[in-house]
RNA sequence: CGGCCCGUAGCUCAGCUGGUAGAGCACGUGACUCUUAAUCAUGGGGUCGAGGGUUCGAUCCCCUCCGGGCCGACCA
């Protein structure tokens, strides 16, 4: 029986599937299919003079079909791109039996099907490099129609653009939107380039716990979970900083991790609940050294991805060429507001903030106000990569106090395209100072700051044994990828960005309809007519239901004997 | 959490403040031996996101809900 939930096109494809099987062809063959080249290799290397690619075997998905009687053109898409295939009846079927062309290819194959093609490469009269198919095999039959995107002279028609569908069904997005695929290839290039840089320096890639009994290393609200055997609360990490520093205590001179972190906070085009950071810790270095390292690393990444240090991002051309501009936070504020706040006390800072239109309130300390002024007045204006150094101590409980300026810490962020891309410091290794800083955080926590850090006794104990002076870095992989791929949203650089679960419409089980006295063969039809629950049948007009059911029966050629109005009345009476 | 916008065929979109829906592509059938957004002819395809209200009558007006986008708030 026909499934009433399927669209016309899906029904036709399932029928094609059966016909393929009845011709003795397996639409999902088990055997491996050997390919000896790919679309891009052919398109970039084929030449008539060389007469190469005369025995190619490739596999891919059918993306377009242009059928004209005994000759056809299709485009197939493989891992590297698209290539046109010329399918001529008598080349594909040299013998008497033309079934493979006339029936299988022309009638039973569809856009979206995955096939293998063997043949020779040539150039058509229109000048397009194509494969002349002498062999064609179905590798996987597609029973759902793909979005059809057309293109001519670089102009895209009917692009598949609905963000909801693109993110929930990323596979479709990847099939029909080549630029999406390209962004993800660049993302992997970025992490490969970074890893190569770090390995070449001799640092050790490590893995540390994602499930942590205490969350630390950043200011954020965590996800909470529970371990059954331990009967204990665990948190998904918000950062891995404290574990990596314990490894530095343990004697590794350089450790890094590409870490998925989880923060239970708002979502927007710059924030996803899970995101990736690369954290790096190097012993006997300080934040000045780390700035040089970041410049060198990001410049290399830009060169590896784009072949140049210049990257177009929105309206801006961003240049990652070293050296980057450097400002202390006070200098940056002076640069963009003309006001020198370096010597101001809390009252003067509050006055200045108000004058500048920056919102402040009584709960904010000196550090928070400075940070707020910077965030409002400077950050968005920093388009070219710029280091901002020397932050107020209140904002940075894990950073070492500044070697020469009171009230500041040795910390820097790199700002690019108006957004932070990394955060680093000379790590605090004085265990007594560290304990005091944690205690200040505890006070903030008691005042209701949900993001205040918790005191991590294990970490403190570790650095009491002595941690070498260390430079530490956290660099946001998603944000850096956004810049390197000119993406407007973090969703465009995550394969599967977090989406709200769609609620399925309430639907009663068929048994519930059966219990209510509806004959089993009519249940799907009743549901198709819009009555997904037994409840929804109560009190409705028998004649109108009769009309709908008989109509559906006829329309879908189900061939059931129509019930009489009295039959339907009796069903409905039992319900009421 | 607040403001604005969106949800109609497999896809991209029309639809006059109200009379139960249209186009292009895709799909079916037929024609066509080098096409390329193939073409020509013809046909089918829709609980108009869900529920409720107003109305003789709702894709359209009102309310609630679901999902998404943008901006802001919060936040790195």
């Amino acid at each position: 029986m026909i499934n009433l939930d399927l669209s016309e096109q899906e029904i036709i494809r399932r029928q094609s599937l059966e016909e393929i099987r009845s011709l003795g062809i397996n639409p999902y063959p088990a055997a491996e299919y050997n390919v000896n080249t790919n679309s891009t290799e052919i398109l970039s290397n084929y030449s008539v003079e060389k007469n190469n690619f005369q025995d190619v075997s490739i596999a891919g998905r059918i993306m377009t079909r242009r059928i004209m009687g005994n000759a056809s053109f299709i485009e197939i898409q493989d891992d590297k791109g698209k290539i046109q295939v010329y399918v001529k009846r008598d080349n594909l079927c040299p013998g008497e039996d033309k079934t493979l062309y006339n029936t299988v290819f022309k009638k039973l194959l569809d856009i979206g099907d995955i096939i293998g093609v063997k043949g020779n490469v040539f150039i058509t009269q229109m000048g397009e490099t194509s494969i002349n198919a002498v062999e064609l095999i179905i590798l996987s039959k597609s029973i759902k129609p793909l979005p059809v995107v057309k293109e001519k002279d670089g102009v895209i028609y009917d692009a598949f653009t609905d963000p909801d569908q693109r993110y929930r069904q990323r596979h479709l997005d990847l099939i029909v939107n080549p630029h999406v695929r390209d962004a993800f290839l660049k993302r992997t290039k970025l992490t490969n380039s970074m890893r190569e840089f770090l390995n070449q320096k001799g640092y050790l890639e490590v893995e540390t716990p994602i499930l942590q009994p205490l969350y630390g290393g950043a200011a954020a609200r965590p996800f909470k979970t529970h371990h059954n055997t331990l009967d204990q609360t665990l948190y998904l990490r918000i950062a891995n900083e404290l574990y990596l520093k314990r490894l530095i205590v343990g004697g590794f001179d350089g450790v890094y991790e590409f870490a998925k972190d989880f923060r239970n906070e708002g979502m927007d085009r710059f924030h996803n609940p899970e995101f990736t950071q690369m954290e790096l810790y190097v012993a006997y270095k300080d934040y000045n050294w780390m700035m040089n390292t970041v410049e060198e690393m990001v410049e290399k990444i830009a060169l590896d991805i784009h072949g140049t240090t210049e990257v177009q991002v929105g309206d801006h051309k961003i240049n990652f060429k070293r050296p980057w501009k450097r400002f202390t936070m006070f200098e940056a504020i002076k640069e963009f507001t003309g006001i020198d706040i370096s010597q101001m006390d809390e009252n003067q800072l509050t006055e200045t903030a108000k004058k500048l239109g920056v919102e402040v309130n009584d709960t904010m300390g000196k550090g928070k106000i400075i940070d707020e002024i910077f965030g409002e007045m400077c950050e968005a204006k920093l388009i070219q990569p710029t280091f901002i150094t020397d932050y107020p101590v209140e904002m940075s409980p894990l950073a070492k106090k500044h070697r020469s300026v009171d009230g500041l810490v040795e910390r820097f962020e790199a700002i690019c395209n108006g957004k932070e891309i990394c955060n680093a410091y000379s790590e605090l290794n004085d265990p007594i100072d560290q304990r005091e800083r944690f205690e200040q955080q505890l006070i903030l926590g008691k005042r209701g700051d949900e993001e205040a850090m918790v005191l991590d006794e294990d970490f403190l104990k570790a650095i009491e044994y002595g941690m070498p002076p260390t430079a530490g870095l956290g660099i946001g992989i998603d944000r850096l990828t956004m810049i390197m791929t000119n993406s407007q949203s973090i969703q465009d650089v995550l394969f599967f960005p977090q989406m709200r679960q769609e609620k399925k419409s309430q639907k009663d089980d068929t048994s519930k309809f059966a219990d209510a006295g509806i004959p089993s063969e009519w249940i799907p039809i009743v549901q198709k007519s819009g009555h997904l629950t037994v409840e929804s049948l109560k009190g409705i007009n028998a004649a109108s239901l009769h009309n709908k059911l008989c109509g559906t029966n006829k329309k879908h050629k189900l061939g059931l004997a129509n019930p009489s109005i009295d039959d339907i009345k009796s069903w409905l009476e039992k319900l009421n």
Side-chain angles (χ1 to χ4, degrees):
Chain A
M1 175 163 158
I2 292 165
N3 186 337
L4 293 174
D5 291 334
L6 296 177
S7 71
E8 183 194 32
Q9 293 195 44
E10 289 173 290
I11 291 165
I12 289 165
R13 284 181 180 226
R14 279 165 199 243
Q15 285 165 351
S16 298
L17 185 69
E18 285 318 306
E19 287 180 48
I20 288 166
R21 287 207 164 101
S22 69
L23 287 168
I25 298 168
N26 181 354
Y28 303 103
E32 79 174 314
Y33 185 80
N34 284 313
V35 300
N36 59 17
T37 184
N38 63 62
S39 55
T40 300
E41 212 172 274
I42 293 171
L43 293 179
S44 45
N45 296 320
Y46 173 72
S47 81
V48 179
E49 296 76 43
K50 286 189 202 154
N51 197 35
N52 49 355
F53 296 111
Q54 292 309 293
D55 189 13
V56 299
S57 171
I58 73 166
R61 192 185 289 276
I62 299 175
M63 299 304 286
T64 64
R65 303 201 308 152
R66 294 182 283 277
I67 294 177
M68 309 152 288
N70 295 333
S72 305
F73 291 90
I74 59 173
E75 276 182 292
I76 67 172
Q77 176 167 285
D78 64 15
D79 185 56
K80 298 291 187 272
K82 280 185 209 164
I83 189 162
Q84 180 170 271
V85 178
Y86 177 58
V87 187
K88 188 175 162 73
R89 187 189 62 193
D90 297 335
N91 294 350
L92 187 65
C93 311
E96 283 299 303
D97 183 4
K98 307 295 185 188
T99 310
L100 178 60
Y101 183 82
N102 286 339
T103 308
V104 178
F105 173 75
K106 268 172 75 175
K107 305 268 185 202
L108 303 178
L109 284 187
D110 291 289
I111 289 174
D113 292 350
I114 295 168
I115 59 170
V117 171
K118 288 186 169 63
N120 57 289
V121 177
F122 72 109
I123 294 179
T124 64
Q125 285 173 16
M126 300 300 285
E128 182 156 348
T129 303
S130 308
I131 300 171
N132 172 44
V134 296
E135 216 178 294
L136 187 152
I137 177 178
I138 303 175
L139 298 175
S140 183
K141 177 76 190 151
S142 160
I143 59 169
K144 260 191 185 304
L146 228 44
V148 176
V149 179
K150 298 244 174 179
E151 185 244 313
K152 190 193 187 181
D153 300 332
V155 183
I156 308 287
Y157 299 84
D158 299 335
F160 179 59
T161 50
D162 178 10
D164 193 52
Q165 292 196 75
R166 285 183 46 224
Y167 301 144
R168 287 186 200 276
Q169 302 195 71
R170 182 68 92 179
H171 43 277
L172 296 181
D173 197 22
L174 290 165
I175 291 168
V176 304
N177 289 327
H179 65 278
V180 170
R181 186 186 166 84
D182 184 59
F184 287 101
L185 293 180
K186 287 198 170 93
R187 183 183 173 120
T188 297
K189 240 180 206 171
L190 184 154
T191 50
N192 286 347
S193 172
M194 189 178 281
R195 184 172 275 120
E196 189 181 276
F197 175 89
L198 297 165
N199 287 343
Q200 185 266 324
K201 299 262 179 194
Y203 307 138
L204 185 71
E205 180 165 14
V206 299
E207 292 180 276
T208 61
I210 291 171
L211 290 172
Q212 304 181 349
L214 290 175
Y215 55 98
R221 280 142 68 193
F223 288 93
K224 195 175 177 180
T225 185
H226 183 261
H227 190 280
N228 290 341
T229 303
L230 298 175
D231 188 22
Q232 176 189 313
T233 296
L234 291 172
Y235 300 93
L236 273 63
R237 71 177 168 204
I238 58 171
N240 55 356
E241 172 157 356
L242 302 185
Y243 284 93
L244 290 179
K245 283 197 251 189
R246 284 160 72 175
L247 296 180
I248 295 291
V249 171
F252 294 110
D253 276 355
V255 290
Y256 72 92
E257 178 173 14
F258 283 90
K260 262 289 180 72
D261 290 334
F262 306 83
R263 297 188 184 174
N264 203 343
E265 288 173 349
M267 293 164 60
D268 58 37
R269 70 192 186 92
F270 291 101
H271 298 84
N272 192 66
E274 56 184 290
F275 66 102
T276 305
Q277 256 197 107
M278 195 287 293
E279 292 201 37
L280 166 70
Y281 293 82
V282 183
Y284 310 114
K285 305 295 184 190
D286 66 3
Y287 78 140
N288 291 314
W289 175 90
M290 187 62 92
M291 268 187 269
N292 297 334
T293 302
V294 169
E295 275 179 347
E296 189 187 342
M297 180 168 77
V298 176
E299 186 190 65
K300 172 195 182 312
I301 288 166
L303 284 168
D304 285 350
I305 294 176
H306 296 287
T308 162
T309 57
E310 290 191 321
V311 181
Q312 187 73 37
V313 183
D315 297 333
H316 303 291
K317 185 159 258 175
I318 292 175
N319 194 342
F320 289 99
K321 189 164 178 52
R322 288 181 284 168
W324 299 354
K325 203 180 286 177
R326 297 183 188 193
F327 278 130
T328 66
M329 188 170 257
F330 291 143
E331 284 167 357
I333 290 170
K334 194 173 172 194
E335 171 86 11
F336 289 104
T337 67
I339 302 169
D340 182 356
I341 62 165
S342 59
Q343 305 303 318
M344 291 185 179
D345 63 23
E346 192 169 325
N347 285 336
Q348 291 171 303
L349 283 169
T350 305
E351 279 306 302
T352 306
K354 281 180 183 160
K355 208 164 69 190
L356 291 168
V358 175
E359 274 184 49
V360 288
N361 60 52
D362 297 345
T363 67
M364 291 181 178
K366 207 173 144 179
K368 183 80 186 165
I369 296 170
I370 294 170
D371 192 59
E372 205 63 28
I373 293 173
F374 175 79
E376 286 290 317
M377 305 307 296
C378 309
E379 191 163 352
K381 293 176 183 160
L382 294 166
I383 302 303
Q384 296 303 322
T386 307
F387 288 116
I388 302 298
T389 62
D390 300 345
Y391 283 63
V393 63
E394 296 92 330
M395 308 297 300
S396 316
L398 300 166
K400 189 178 274 193
K401 280 180 180 150
H402 198 278
R403 63 192 74 180
S404 52
V405 187
D406 232 21
L408 299 182
V409 292
E410 295 201 350
R411 170 179 175 184
F412 72 84
E413 292 186 356
I415 314 285
C416 180
N417 202 33
K419 278 277 165 190
E420 172 205 347
I421 56 169
C422 77
N423 182 17
Y425 7 97
S426 300
E427 299 296 334
L428 178 54
N429 64 343
D430 173 343
I432 310 287
D433 189 3
Q434 182 67 81
R435 184 174 291 276
E436 285 168 6
R437 303 270 199 100
F438 274 138
E439 277 161 0
Q440 282 159 13
Q441 288 290 310
L442 290 182
I443 294 165
L444 286 179
K446 280 186 188 138
R447 283 215 314 234
D449 183 346
E450 286 186 273
E451 296 186 333
M453 289 188 195
V454 285
L455 189 146
D456 188 331
E457 203 62 64
D458 290 337
F459 169 68
L460 279 173
K461 196 165 150 191
I463 65 171
E464 282 171 6
Y465 286 100
M467 180 172 87
T470 298
L473 167 74
I475 184 162
I477 298 298
D478 311 288
R479 295 231 182 134
L480 190 58
T481 305
M482 285 171 67
I483 290 171
M484 292 293 175
T485 58
N486 192 12
S487 296
Q488 296 302 301
S489 167
I490 197 169
Q491 295 173 118
D492 293 327
V493 299
L494 297 169
F495 273 127
F496 302 104
Q498 197 58 241
M499 300 290 276
R500 196 185 294 273
Q501 185 92 43
E502 288 174 297
K503 282 186 186 154
K504 297 222 175 78
S505 54
Q506 186 78 29
K507 187 174 175 181
D508 282 346
D509 200 73
T510 45
S511 64
K512 207 165 166 190
F513 283 91
D515 292 347
I518 313 283
S520 63
E521 68 271 24
W522 285 97
I523 293 169
I525 298 155
V526 170
Q527 290 178 330
K528 175 72 177 172
S529 72
H531 298 283
L532 296 177
T533 61
V534 172
E535 187 66 30
S536 72
L537 286 169
K538 286 186 180 166
I540 66 162
N541 185 300
S544 110
L545 183 61
H546 182 253
N547 204 1
K548 280 190 206 167
L549 297 187
C550 298
T552 304
N553 182 27
K554 189 178 171 194
K555 189 166 124 190
H556 293 275
K557 302 187 178 79
L558 301 174
L560 295 169
N562 284 332
S564 67
I565 291 207
D566 288 337
D567 290 337
I568 288 178
K569 274 183 184 156
S570 77
W571 302 352
L572 295 176
E573 269 162 26
K574 275 185 229 160
L575 292 169
N576 297 322

